[in-house]
Amino acid sequence: MSERALTVLVSGSSERASLALAAALAAEAAELRGDGVLLAEVSAPARRRQATLLAAPPARRLEAALRALGLGAVARGHLCHLGIEASEEGIAGIAGIADAAGARLRFVQLPAAHWVAALDCEPLRPDAGLLLVRLPRERSLAALAVGELRRRGARARVATEAPSALAARRALAGVRAGGRHSAGLGRIARSLLGAAPLRGQAGQALPIVLGAALALIGCALILAAIGAAVTGKGRVQRAADLAALSAARSMRDEMPRLLAPPLLPDGSVNPRHLDRATYLAHAERAALDAGERNGVAPERLEVEFPDARSNPPLRARVRVRAEIGSDALPVGAQADRPPEPVRMVASAVAEASPPTGSWTGMPERAEGGGYSGPLVYRDGEGMRPDVAAAYDRMATTARAAGHQLAVTSGFRSDAEQAALFEAHPDPRWVAPPGRSLHRCATELDLGPPSAYGWLAANSQRFGFLRRYSWEAWHFGFTAGPPPCSAAGESGGLGSRPGAGADGAASARALPAFVPARFRGPLLRSAGRWNVSAALLAAQIEAESGFDPGAVSPAGAEGIAQFMPGTAASYGLSNPFDPAAAIDAQAHLMSDLLRQFRSIPLALAAYNAGPGAVAPCSCVPPYPETRAYVARILALLDGAGALLAPALEVRLVR
């Protein structure tokens, strides 16, 4: 029997904070279940999020199912985001939408004003609820919410703290919040997603649910008054853990500055650059500050960096020397002071490391019938590369005129069209399979409605033609190769000079550190092999610093540092020819991304070989490889090519 679908409501007096909490909880649930999770955000008007570079395959599948229903869903990390209009009809339709898309786990974040309406909505039938409250001021609100959930036989939890700004950013990108946020939310997710009470058995579940919920509220009030009830030894270890995490977090956040060039192209000093000593000093200061906030005097805390010579350093080790029962412990610890001071040392090691999720983040070649060439994505919608380049120019001009364009639909394969037509078999509104021009990756449905007038007046300047008088949103690209033609299958590359000839993205897709003479080869090879140009550029910066004559002590040669055997297998006769080496690099990365379905794993395989990555499906524990992957992800993050943070911060021991 298939697993029953579960619906969790999340709300609070602060919509922004409760949304971050809902996203963080949903990301933890996705980790527990190993599946895509629907995050429905109820707002007025319905909000649409931008796509991220990183998205897990289950979230992509859920996105595709929702888009087949004509909805503007966006895959973000492990989550699939869907904006819902804040109305009774919008809330009532969430369950039906989720069922039709096959979403077995749904998190619904809604304004506090709609909490009771959502609980009363029979189609929604929530199984659990989480309320973000401020204690003690909102104690009555928490009690009422728990009471409502108890009456319906649903699980209830109360949270008193929203994720931090950085954790919220990660959560909204569909990534686990990390650190203590993940630990706490993981426990909440396990309790909410455990055996949800079945309808008709609410009477048996009520005493347990009510007792747990009221106990939680009581505990929150006690914690707010007297602090955490833990042993002295636990407090010392916690201080060491937090100090190590703070140091590693500082290293992660400032890594793009460490990797920034010390000089600008004009020879002046780059104000963003941090030298290694300053970079490590900032991390040490962050650890000491965290220790002081947890009652540890600076002279009792030691910080060191085991891999200080790596490029970049990733780990921080902290030791805390304490005397339990002495003034070295935090205020509030004196009540359980042992009769005699007990000396102890607590240690912790934290690192900024590549994410473990299997995200590809890369556009795949089109499949399913129709166009079968490379795809480039805008707002999560695929299109031919030359169409994307033309759209970018049009969107830039529209923005200057006060219109923020959005792509609501792009490439739709014959298979997707067949599913859409089966759900809406009206040829006046949905073309039958094999007839829709969306199958050619040249058609775009655009918004918002406020831009329709501007599009009608200006779209032809950029090669777009409004297809039908009754569809103000539908525009086809007519300036390149014909739709679904042999020339179009190459993605419009090289078909004509000018618009879109550079392939996968416009020049602005490349980081600023790329020398001018390598920008053309990078864009051409990225388009040919359907790999991110920014990823290739960051990789070359880490490999050779864009030196075509580089030779490593191990014998790797050229700008992309090919070993002779690998170069031969990819037909690279001269590794010192930068254009040929970049093309071979793009070919190799395309193969590795297809094999491992993950940017970090593909990078690790490029450095250490596929044989070191395949057995564990992980970045192998080689210091050189881990630093290599982290360096490239940090370069991408610093260039703005990733919407989610490039590295995770976690305790190692």
Side-chain angles (χ1 to χ4, degrees), residues 245-277:
L245 287 169
S246 295
R249 188 173 295 114
S250 171
M251 296 164 76
R252 178 196 65 187
D253 294 345
E254 294 200 326
M255 199 176 296
R257 295 189 62 190
L258 173 70
L259 301 177
L263 299 178
L264 295 173
D266 62 3
S268 60
V269 175
N270 185 353
R272 273 190 50 80
H273 174 71
L274 279 184
D275 60 57
R276 185 180 297 257

PDB file of all heavy atoms in Angstrom, residues 245-277:
ATOM      1  N   LEU A 245      31.774  25.793  15.130  1.00  0.00           N
ATOM      2  CA  LEU A 245      30.843  26.084  14.037  1.00  0.00           C
ATOM      3  C   LEU A 245      30.929  27.547  13.610  1.00  0.00           C
ATOM      4  O   LEU A 245      30.855  27.865  12.414  1.00  0.00           O
ATOM      5  CB  LEU A 245      29.418  25.746  14.464  1.00  0.00           C
ATOM      6  CG  LEU A 245      29.072  24.254  14.548  1.00  0.00           C
ATOM      7  CD1 LEU A 245      27.731  24.065  15.249  1.00  0.00           C
ATOM      8  CD2 LEU A 245      29.027  23.636  13.155  1.00  0.00           C
ATOM      9  N   SER A 246      31.087  28.443  14.563  1.00  0.00           N
ATOM     10  CA  SER A 246      31.189  29.870  14.226  1.00  0.00           C
ATOM     11  C   SER A 246      32.447  30.148  13.413  1.00  0.00           C
ATOM     12  O   SER A 246      32.424  30.941  12.462  1.00  0.00           O
ATOM     13  CB  SER A 246      31.186  30.713  15.507  1.00  0.00           C
ATOM     14  OG  SER A 246      29.951  30.588  16.187  1.00  0.00           O
ATOM     15  N   ALA A 247      33.555  29.499  13.782  1.00  0.00           N
ATOM     16  CA  ALA A 247      34.784  29.682  13.012  1.00  0.00           C
ATOM     17  C   ALA A 247      34.618  29.152  11.594  1.00  0.00           C
ATOM     18  O   ALA A 247      34.991  29.814  10.615  1.00  0.00           O
ATOM     19  CB  ALA A 247      35.944  28.981  13.711  1.00  0.00           C
ATOM     20  N   ALA A 248      34.037  27.942  11.457  1.00  0.00           N
ATOM     21  CA  ALA A 248      33.843  27.366  10.125  1.00  0.00           C
ATOM     22  C   ALA A 248      32.861  28.199   9.303  1.00  0.00           C
ATOM     23  O   ALA A 248      33.027  28.350   8.087  1.00  0.00           O
ATOM     24  CB  ALA A 248      33.342  25.930  10.247  1.00  0.00           C
ATOM     25  N   ARG A 249      31.851  28.745   9.956  1.00  0.00           N
ATOM     26  CA  ARG A 249      30.885  29.575   9.238  1.00  0.00           C
ATOM     27  C   ARG A 249      31.562  30.849   8.729  1.00  0.00           C
ATOM     28  O   ARG A 249      31.295  31.312   7.622  1.00  0.00           O
ATOM     29  CB  ARG A 249      29.705  29.914  10.145  1.00  0.00           C
ATOM     30  CG  ARG A 249      28.558  30.621   9.438  1.00  0.00           C
ATOM     31  CD  ARG A 249      27.356  30.767  10.353  1.00  0.00           C
ATOM     32  NE  ARG A 249      26.796  29.484  10.705  1.00  0.00           N
ATOM     33  CZ  ARG A 249      26.791  28.974  11.937  1.00  0.00           C
ATOM     34  NH1 ARG A 249      27.352  29.650  12.940  1.00  0.00           N
ATOM     35  NH2 ARG A 249      26.251  27.801  12.177  1.00  0.00           N
ATOM     36  N   SER A 250      32.431  31.432   9.544  1.00  0.00           N
ATOM     37  CA  SER A 250      33.187  32.601   9.090  1.00  0.00           C
ATOM     38  C   SER A 250      34.042  32.254   7.879  1.00  0.00           C
ATOM     39  O   SER A 250      34.116  33.018   6.906  1.00  0.00           O
ATOM     40  CB  SER A 250      34.059  33.129  10.228  1.00  0.00           C
ATOM     41  OG  SER A 250      34.953  34.126   9.763  1.00  0.00           O
ATOM     42  N   MET A 251      34.682  31.077   7.908  1.00  0.00           N
ATOM     43  CA  MET A 251      35.512  30.654   6.780  1.00  0.00           C
ATOM     44  C   MET A 251      34.668  30.476   5.521  1.00  0.00           C
ATOM     45  O   MET A 251      35.068  30.887   4.430  1.00  0.00           O
ATOM     46  CB  MET A 251      36.241  29.357   7.135  1.00  0.00           C
ATOM     47  CG  MET A 251      37.228  29.515   8.289  1.00  0.00           C
ATOM     48  SD  MET A 251      37.746  27.938   9.014  1.00  0.00           S
ATOM     49  CE  MET A 251      38.882  27.377   7.767  1.00  0.00           C
ATOM     50  N   ARG A 252      33.507  29.851   5.684  1.00  0.00           N
ATOM     51  CA  ARG A 252      32.640  29.665   4.520  1.00  0.00           C
ATOM     52  C   ARG A 252      32.191  31.012   3.942  1.00  0.00           C
ATOM     53  O   ARG A 252      32.250  31.235   2.730  1.00  0.00           O
ATOM     54  CB  ARG A 252      31.412  28.848   4.896  1.00  0.00           C
ATOM     55  CG  ARG A 252      30.446  28.650   3.740  1.00  0.00           C
ATOM     56  CD  ARG A 252      29.091  28.182   4.210  1.00  0.00           C
ATOM     57  NE  ARG A 252      28.426  29.186   5.024  1.00  0.00           N
ATOM     58  CZ  ARG A 252      27.291  28.970   5.667  1.00  0.00           C
ATOM     59  NH1 ARG A 252      26.716  27.785   5.613  1.00  0.00           N
ATOM     60  NH2 ARG A 252      26.738  29.930   6.395  1.00  0.00           N
ATOM     61  N   ASP A 253      31.740  31.906   4.822  1.00  0.00           N
ATOM     62  CA  ASP A 253      31.179  33.164   4.335  1.00  0.00           C
ATOM     63  C   ASP A 253      32.231  34.073   3.706  1.00  0.00           C
ATOM     64  O   ASP A 253      31.920  34.855   2.798  1.00  0.00           O
ATOM     65  CB  ASP A 253      30.484  33.903   5.489  1.00  0.00           C
ATOM     66  CG  ASP A 253      29.252  33.168   5.996  1.00  0.00           C
ATOM     67  OD1 ASP A 253      28.784  32.256   5.286  1.00  0.00           O
ATOM     68  OD2 ASP A 253      28.776  33.488   7.102  1.00  0.00           O
ATOM     69  N   GLU A 254      33.475  33.980   4.176  1.00  0.00           N
ATOM     70  CA  GLU A 254      34.513  34.871   3.669  1.00  0.00           C
ATOM     71  C   GLU A 254      35.416  34.202   2.630  1.00  0.00           C
ATOM     72  O   GLU A 254      36.335  34.832   2.115  1.00  0.00           O
ATOM     73  CB  GLU A 254      35.355  35.417   4.826  1.00  0.00           C
ATOM     74  CG  GLU A 254      34.547  36.327   5.747  1.00  0.00           C
ATOM     75  CD  GLU A 254      35.409  37.247   6.584  1.00  0.00           C
ATOM     76  OE1 GLU A 254      36.513  36.826   6.972  1.00  0.00           O
ATOM     77  OE2 GLU A 254      34.982  38.379   6.829  1.00  0.00           O
ATOM     78  N   MET A 255      35.129  32.957   2.294  1.00  0.00           N
ATOM     79  CA  MET A 255      35.956  32.254   1.317  1.00  0.00           C
ATOM     80  C   MET A 255      35.980  32.948  -0.045  1.00  0.00           C
ATOM     81  O   MET A 255      37.035  33.038  -0.682  1.00  0.00           O
ATOM     82  CB  MET A 255      35.514  30.804   1.181  1.00  0.00           C
ATOM     83  CG  MET A 255      36.568  29.907   0.556  1.00  0.00           C
ATOM     84  SD  MET A 255      36.054  28.180   0.523  1.00  0.00           S
ATOM     85  CE  MET A 255      35.941  27.819   2.271  1.00  0.00           C
ATOM     86  N   PRO A 256      34.833  33.461  -0.554  1.00  0.00           N
ATOM     87  CA  PRO A 256      34.915  34.190  -1.834  1.00  0.00           C
ATOM     88  C   PRO A 256      35.886  35.366  -1.789  1.00  0.00           C
ATOM     89  O   PRO A 256      36.542  35.664  -2.785  1.00  0.00           O
ATOM     90  CB  PRO A 256      33.467  34.657  -2.045  1.00  0.00           C
ATOM     91  CG  PRO A 256      32.631  33.650  -1.324  1.00  0.00           C
ATOM     92  CD  PRO A 256      33.430  33.300  -0.102  1.00  0.00           C
ATOM     93  N   ARG A 257      36.014  36.020  -0.626  1.00  0.00           N
ATOM     94  CA  ARG A 257      36.956  37.130  -0.520  1.00  0.00           C
ATOM     95  C   ARG A 257      38.404  36.627  -0.490  1.00  0.00           C
ATOM     96  O   ARG A 257      39.301  37.264  -1.029  1.00  0.00           O
ATOM     97  CB  ARG A 257      36.662  37.952   0.731  1.00  0.00           C
ATOM     98  CG  ARG A 257      35.304  38.655   0.721  1.00  0.00           C
ATOM     99  CD  ARG A 257      35.179  39.614   1.877  1.00  0.00           C
ATOM    100  NE  ARG A 257      36.169  40.670   1.806  1.00  0.00           N
ATOM    101  CZ  ARG A 257      36.415  41.536   2.791  1.00  0.00           C
ATOM    102  NH1 ARG A 257      35.746  41.454   3.931  1.00  0.00           N
ATOM    103  NH2 ARG A 257      37.332  42.470   2.647  1.00  0.00           N
ATOM    104  N   LEU A 258      38.628  35.475   0.156  1.00  0.00           N
ATOM    105  CA  LEU A 258      39.970  34.886   0.146  1.00  0.00           C
ATOM    106  C   LEU A 258      40.394  34.543  -1.278  1.00  0.00           C
ATOM    107  O   LEU A 258      41.554  34.723  -1.652  1.00  0.00           O
ATOM    108  CB  LEU A 258      39.980  33.624   1.013  1.00  0.00           C
ATOM    109  CG  LEU A 258      41.256  32.785   0.985  1.00  0.00           C
ATOM    110  CD1 LEU A 258      42.398  33.514   1.688  1.00  0.00           C
ATOM    111  CD2 LEU A 258      41.027  31.424   1.616  1.00  0.00           C
ATOM    112  N   LEU A 259      39.444  34.065  -2.076  1.00  0.00           N
ATOM    113  CA  LEU A 259      39.752  33.638  -3.440  1.00  0.00           C
ATOM    114  C   LEU A 259      39.708  34.777  -4.454  1.00  0.00           C
ATOM    115  O   LEU A 259      40.099  34.586  -5.605  1.00  0.00           O
ATOM    116  CB  LEU A 259      38.775  32.540  -3.859  1.00  0.00           C
ATOM    117  CG  LEU A 259      38.782  31.284  -2.971  1.00  0.00           C
ATOM    118  CD1 LEU A 259      37.729  30.305  -3.435  1.00  0.00           C
ATOM    119  CD2 LEU A 259      40.149  30.639  -2.960  1.00  0.00           C
ATOM    120  N   ALA A 260      39.211  35.938  -4.049  1.00  0.00           N
ATOM    121  CA  ALA A 260      39.185  37.079  -4.967  1.00  0.00           C
ATOM    122  C   ALA A 260      40.612  37.509  -5.288  1.00  0.00           C
ATOM    123  O   ALA A 260      41.509  37.434  -4.435  1.00  0.00           O
ATOM    124  CB  ALA A 260      38.416  38.244  -4.349  1.00  0.00           C
ATOM    125  N   PRO A 261      40.889  37.953  -6.508  1.00  0.00           N
ATOM    126  CA  PRO A 261      42.263  38.354  -6.866  1.00  0.00           C
ATOM    127  C   PRO A 261      42.714  39.551  -6.043  1.00  0.00           C
ATOM    128  O   PRO A 261      41.926  40.449  -5.744  1.00  0.00           O
ATOM    129  CB  PRO A 261      42.148  38.708  -8.356  1.00  0.00           C
ATOM    130  CG  PRO A 261      40.703  39.001  -8.579  1.00  0.00           C
ATOM    131  CD  PRO A 261      39.942  38.129  -7.630  1.00  0.00           C
ATOM    132  N   PRO A 262      43.988  39.584  -5.649  1.00  0.00           N
ATOM    133  CA  PRO A 262      44.470  40.708  -4.833  1.00  0.00           C
ATOM    134  C   PRO A 262      44.493  42.030  -5.593  1.00  0.00           C
ATOM    135  O   PRO A 262      44.430  43.092  -4.983  1.00  0.00           O
ATOM    136  CB  PRO A 262      45.876  40.274  -4.416  1.00  0.00           C
ATOM    137  CG  PRO A 262      46.276  39.236  -5.409  1.00  0.00           C
ATOM    138  CD  PRO A 262      45.019  38.553  -5.844  1.00  0.00           C
ATOM    139  N   LEU A 263      44.604  41.962  -6.927  1.00  0.00           N
ATOM    140  CA  LEU A 263      44.654  43.175  -7.733  1.00  0.00           C
ATOM    141  C   LEU A 263      43.511  43.190  -8.733  1.00  0.00           C
ATOM    142  O   LEU A 263      43.107  42.140  -9.259  1.00  0.00           O
ATOM    143  CB  LEU A 263      45.988  43.279  -8.474  1.00  0.00           C
ATOM    144  CG  LEU A 263      47.254  43.344  -7.616  1.00  0.00           C
ATOM    145  CD1 LEU A 263      48.479  43.385  -8.513  1.00  0.00           C
ATOM    146  CD2 LEU A 263      47.214  44.554  -6.687  1.00  0.00           C
ATOM    147  N   LEU A 264      42.993  44.362  -8.998  1.00  0.00           N
ATOM    148  CA  LEU A 264      41.973  44.542 -10.025  1.00  0.00           C
ATOM    149  C   LEU A 264      42.639  44.583 -11.400  1.00  0.00           C
ATOM    150  O   LEU A 264      43.867  44.735 -11.503  1.00  0.00           O
ATOM    151  CB  LEU A 264      41.201  45.836  -9.761  1.00  0.00           C
ATOM    152  CG  LEU A 264      40.379  45.864  -8.456  1.00  0.00           C
ATOM    153  CD1 LEU A 264      39.801  47.251  -8.220  1.00  0.00           C
ATOM    154  CD2 LEU A 264      39.271  44.821  -8.496  1.00  0.00           C
ATOM    155  N   PRO A 265      41.866  44.442 -12.497  1.00  0.00           N
ATOM    156  CA  PRO A 265      42.477  44.451 -13.838  1.00  0.00           C
ATOM    157  C   PRO A 265      43.323  45.683 -14.132  1.00  0.00           C
ATOM    158  O   PRO A 265      44.281  45.604 -14.907  1.00  0.00           O
ATOM    159  CB  PRO A 265      41.252  44.378 -14.770  1.00  0.00           C
ATOM    160  CG  PRO A 265      40.225  43.669 -13.955  1.00  0.00           C
ATOM    161  CD  PRO A 265      40.427  44.131 -12.546  1.00  0.00           C
ATOM    162  N   ASP A 266      43.011  46.829 -13.499  1.00  0.00           N
ATOM    163  CA  ASP A 266      43.804  48.037 -13.752  1.00  0.00           C
ATOM    164  C   ASP A 266      45.055  48.126 -12.891  1.00  0.00           C
ATOM    165  O   ASP A 266      45.784  49.121 -12.913  1.00  0.00           O
ATOM    166  CB  ASP A 266      42.934  49.284 -13.551  1.00  0.00           C
ATOM    167  CG  ASP A 266      42.419  49.419 -12.116  1.00  0.00           C
ATOM    168  OD1 ASP A 266      42.780  48.577 -11.261  1.00  0.00           O
ATOM    169  OD2 ASP A 266      41.643  50.361 -11.857  1.00  0.00           O
ATOM    170  N   GLY A 267      45.308  47.059 -12.081  1.00  0.00           N
ATOM    171  CA  GLY A 267      46.502  47.033 -11.255  1.00  0.00           C
ATOM    172  C   GLY A 267      46.323  47.592  -9.863  1.00  0.00           C
ATOM    173  O   GLY A 267      47.244  47.504  -9.035  1.00  0.00           O
ATOM    174  N   SER A 268      45.154  48.149  -9.548  1.00  0.00           N
ATOM    175  CA  SER A 268      44.913  48.691  -8.217  1.00  0.00           C
ATOM    176  C   SER A 268      44.548  47.577  -7.242  1.00  0.00           C
ATOM    177  O   SER A 268      44.173  46.469  -7.640  1.00  0.00           O
ATOM    178  CB  SER A 268      43.793  49.733  -8.259  1.00  0.00           C
ATOM    179  OG  SER A 268      42.590  49.149  -8.738  1.00  0.00           O
ATOM    180  N   VAL A 269      44.650  47.876  -5.954  1.00  0.00           N
ATOM    181  CA  VAL A 269      44.361  46.885  -4.913  1.00  0.00           C
ATOM    182  C   VAL A 269      42.869  46.567  -4.899  1.00  0.00           C
ATOM    183  O   VAL A 269      42.026  47.461  -4.964  1.00  0.00           O
ATOM    184  CB  VAL A 269      44.816  47.408  -3.539  1.00  0.00           C
ATOM    185  CG1 VAL A 269      44.406  46.445  -2.428  1.00  0.00           C
ATOM    186  CG2 VAL A 269      46.323  47.610  -3.532  1.00  0.00           C
ATOM    187  N   ASN A 270      42.553  45.285  -4.838  1.00  0.00           N
ATOM    188  CA  ASN A 270      41.154  44.853  -4.786  1.00  0.00           C
ATOM    189  C   ASN A 270      40.665  44.929  -3.345  1.00  0.00           C
ATOM    190  O   ASN A 270      41.132  44.184  -2.481  1.00  0.00           O
ATOM    191  CB  ASN A 270      41.033  43.408  -5.296  1.00  0.00           C
ATOM    192  CG  ASN A 270      39.591  42.944  -5.382  1.00  0.00           C
ATOM    193  OD1 ASN A 270      38.677  43.631  -4.961  1.00  0.00           O
ATOM    194  ND2 ASN A 270      39.385  41.755  -5.923  1.00  0.00           N
ATOM    195  N   PRO A 271      39.719  45.817  -3.027  1.00  0.00           N
ATOM    196  CA  PRO A 271      39.281  45.965  -1.627  1.00  0.00           C
ATOM    197  C   PRO A 271      38.534  44.741  -1.103  1.00  0.00           C
ATOM    198  O   PRO A 271      38.398  44.574   0.104  1.00  0.00           O
ATOM    199  CB  PRO A 271      38.359  47.198  -1.678  1.00  0.00           C
ATOM    200  CG  PRO A 271      37.895  47.274  -3.098  1.00  0.00           C
ATOM    201  CD  PRO A 271      39.025  46.753  -3.928  1.00  0.00           C
ATOM    202  N   ARG A 272      38.042  43.873  -1.990  1.00  0.00           N
ATOM    203  CA  ARG A 272      37.328  42.683  -1.548  1.00  0.00           C
ATOM    204  C   ARG A 272      38.261  41.558  -1.103  1.00  0.00           C
ATOM    205  O   ARG A 272      37.849  40.654  -0.377  1.00  0.00           O
ATOM    206  CB  ARG A 272      36.424  42.151  -2.681  1.00  0.00           C
ATOM    207  CG  ARG A 272      35.052  42.773  -2.716  1.00  0.00           C
ATOM    208  CD  ARG A 272      34.154  42.033  -3.691  1.00  0.00           C
ATOM    209  NE  ARG A 272      34.147  40.588  -3.497  1.00  0.00           N
ATOM    210  CZ  ARG A 272      33.449  39.949  -2.569  1.00  0.00           C
ATOM    211  NH1 ARG A 272      32.710  40.646  -1.712  1.00  0.00           N
ATOM    212  NH2 ARG A 272      33.488  38.630  -2.481  1.00  0.00           N
ATOM    213  N   HIS A 273      39.504  41.606  -1.526  1.00  0.00           N
ATOM    214  CA  HIS A 273      40.416  40.495  -1.266  1.00  0.00           C
ATOM    215  C   HIS A 273      40.832  40.444   0.202  1.00  0.00           C
ATOM    216  O   HIS A 273      41.122  41.462   0.828  1.00  0.00           O
ATOM    217  CB  HIS A 273      41.662  40.629  -2.138  1.00  0.00           C
ATOM    218  CG  HIS A 273      42.710  39.611  -1.826  1.00  0.00           C
ATOM    219  ND1 HIS A 273      42.568  38.281  -2.141  1.00  0.00           N
ATOM    220  CD2 HIS A 273      43.912  39.722  -1.195  1.00  0.00           C
ATOM    221  CE1 HIS A 273      43.631  37.619  -1.749  1.00  0.00           C
ATOM    222  NE2 HIS A 273      44.463  38.470  -1.175  1.00  0.00           N
ATOM    223  N   LEU A 274      40.839  39.225   0.755  1.00  0.00           N
ATOM    224  CA  LEU A 274      41.379  38.974   2.084  1.00  0.00           C
ATOM    225  C   LEU A 274      42.603  38.081   1.949  1.00  0.00           C
ATOM    226  O   LEU A 274      42.551  37.058   1.262  1.00  0.00           O
ATOM    227  CB  LEU A 274      40.349  38.249   2.955  1.00  0.00           C
ATOM    228  CG  LEU A 274      39.245  39.055   3.640  1.00  0.00           C
ATOM    229  CD1 LEU A 274      38.413  38.124   4.511  1.00  0.00           C
ATOM    230  CD2 LEU A 274      39.808  40.173   4.476  1.00  0.00           C
ATOM    231  N   ASP A 275      43.697  38.456   2.618  1.00  0.00           N
ATOM    232  CA  ASP A 275      44.837  37.549   2.622  1.00  0.00           C
ATOM    233  C   ASP A 275      44.569  36.421   3.614  1.00  0.00           C
ATOM    234  O   ASP A 275      43.659  36.487   4.456  1.00  0.00           O
ATOM    235  CB  ASP A 275      46.129  38.287   2.966  1.00  0.00           C
ATOM    236  CG  ASP A 275      46.086  38.952   4.337  1.00  0.00           C
ATOM    237  OD1 ASP A 275      45.851  38.246   5.337  1.00  0.00           O
ATOM    238  OD2 ASP A 275      46.278  40.175   4.399  1.00  0.00           O
ATOM    239  N   ARG A 276      45.361  35.365   3.529  1.00  0.00           N
ATOM    240  CA  ARG A 276      45.109  34.161   4.327  1.00  0.00           C
ATOM    241  C   ARG A 276      45.157  34.454   5.829  1.00  0.00           C
ATOM    242  O   ARG A 276      44.324  33.956   6.597  1.00  0.00           O
ATOM    243  CB  ARG A 276      46.120  33.085   3.966  1.00  0.00           C
ATOM    244  CG  ARG A 276      45.875  31.746   4.656  1.00  0.00           C
ATOM    245  CD  ARG A 276      46.947  30.744   4.233  1.00  0.00           C
ATOM    246  NE  ARG A 276      46.843  30.499   2.808  1.00  0.00           N
ATOM    247  CZ  ARG A 276      46.295  29.411   2.276  1.00  0.00           C
ATOM    248  NH1 ARG A 276      45.823  28.470   3.067  1.00  0.00           N
ATOM    249  NH2 ARG A 276      46.238  29.247   0.978  1.00  0.00           N
ATOM    250  N   ALA A 277      46.123  35.266   6.253  1.00  0.00           N
ATOM    251  CA  ALA A 277      46.255  35.547   7.686  1.00  0.00           C
ATOM    252  C   ALA A 277      45.012  36.263   8.216  1.00  0.00           C
ATOM    253  O   ALA A 277      44.498  35.941   9.300  1.00  0.00           O
ATOM    254  CB  ALA A 277      47.507  36.387   7.936  1.00  0.00           C
TER     255      ALA A 277
END
